[in-house]
Amino acid sequence: MTDSEHPRIVVLGAGFGGLEFCKRFDEQTARITLVDRTNHHLFQPLLYQVATAGLSAVDIAQPIRSILSDRPNITVLLDEVEGFDLAGKKVMLTKNTLSYDYLVLALGGCTSYFGHPEWEAYAPGLKTLDDAMRIRSRILRAFEQAESETSPAAQERLMTIVVVGGGPTGVELAGAFAELARHVLKADFRRIDPSQAQVILLEAAPRILARVPPTLSASAQRQLEKLGAQVRTGVKVQNITEGRVDLDNGETIHAANIIWAAGVSASPVTKKLGVELNRAGQIKVRADLSLPGHPEVFAIGDMALVLEKDGSPVPGVSPAAMQMGTHVARIIENEIAFPGGVERPAFKYWDKGTMATIGRSAAVAKVGRFEFSGVAAWLAWLVIHLIFLVGFRNKIAVLFQWFYSYVTYKRGARIIASPEAPAPPGK
Ligand SMILES: Cc1cc2nc3c(=O)[nH]c(=O)nc-3n(C[C@H](O)[C@H](O)[C@H](O)COP(=O)(O)OP(=O)(O)OC[C@H]3O[C@@H](n4cnc5c(N)ncnc54)[C@H](O)[C@@H]3O)c2cc1C
């Protein structure tokens, strides 16, 4: 088969799922085009550390071209997906239209405000590098403003951070903000006492970290409170406006910074596919991860709704997206090698465990039947995140930053780059 006769595979999204597909696929047997609207692969599990001044943006991102530079059959395009013509086997991008024999959809998700998109302007979510840098800038700027304020009430408002959503991201953010205020900023200000800052984590469910057993949730809450964060469970947010959160129990919290870590939905482009979606916009895929009626199109990662044997959905985590990328790579490779003669296996998720870090020497983890918390869980979290972080330079840089912060209680990434307060997202 000549190169031009090789099947064309278009992969949309170079996140965990799309990139894993490209790495795992034997690229000699097909021409692959990988499209992403950013030029980098982002390691989202460490985004909260950029938002809380622990790491720099470049430490957790890697140029897609550079990751795939030794793969001559993979073309990388910086472009945005706009629409689909599934019948004509075409994808419309902002600058190109691509034809395919196989299409792999791996566009991930976005922050969901549960029907209140207007809250985004006052409570930014954390999904991209821009989000993380915007949050960091707002938090640091609030402490700077508090130092210039004379009114105690204004100082209190400026030094209050509300995190909405007690999942892993909310827990990680709350713990890191509490540490930032109590240990890192404490010595740097003269008129205010940053250790008096309030970090409030709000969760509507009766406990935080709903995916881990109740004993670990309780441990996480204790570890957060030890760091100085307040954890309020069983409270629902009713409204968010500039600097103000109204709760369903009638209480109002005034806070200069409100961070939204409560909801995720699939990429909005799934609505353009004309296939069945769930309420979060995820595509209801078949057992082999293909779209009903379109065996040549697959959806993987956060944008796919995949059900396990017991009917529960496969969680939106990076190992699931990577496993789906590998699964689809094997299916397409087999079909190219043995046209028309292979049965497609169903996808099976291998749950390797759940963990969340809370702060210095504080974390919770559940791996198989084993549950652990504190230093052991924290060390396991550090090692696993270093292993999966893409790029040797990034691994070294992150390891160095963590060591430096651990020893000195300082955080390097505390520069406010923009002179003006950054615009809220969506503006
Ligand atoms: C703050 C945060 C913390 C997390 N922490 C953890 C954790 O600790 N452990 C864990 O396992 N998981 C974690 N996750 C979840 C994990 O990151 C996701 O499950 C995983 O990224 C899903 O992979 P994906 O390939 O489906 O999508 P993504 O990795 O999100 O990749 C989607 C890609 O598509 C691109 N894209 C999107 N729309 C378009 C478009 N219209 N045109 C072109 N390109 C587009 C994006 O730029 C991106 O590169 C976290 C997520 C977040 C946001």
Side-chain angles (χ1 to χ4, degrees), residues 12-18 35-38 40 44-45 47-48 79-81 106-109 126-127 169 172 267 269 300-303 316-319 321 355 381 385:
L12 303 179
F16 283 98
V35 179
D36 202 290
R37 65 181 170 197
T38 70
H40 53 265
Q44 292 171 33
L47 255 185
Y48 83 96
D79 209 335
E80 181 142 9
V81 179
L107 294 165
L126 182 63
K127 185 69 191 161
T169 301
E172 288 168 351
S267 162
V269 301
I300 61 175
D302 284 3
M303 65 191 304
V317 290
S318 49
M355 46 178 56
W381 183 92
H385 283 71

Side-chain angles (χ1 to χ4, degrees), residues 29 34 38 277 418 426:
T29 61
L34 174 61
T38 70
L277 310 175
S418 60

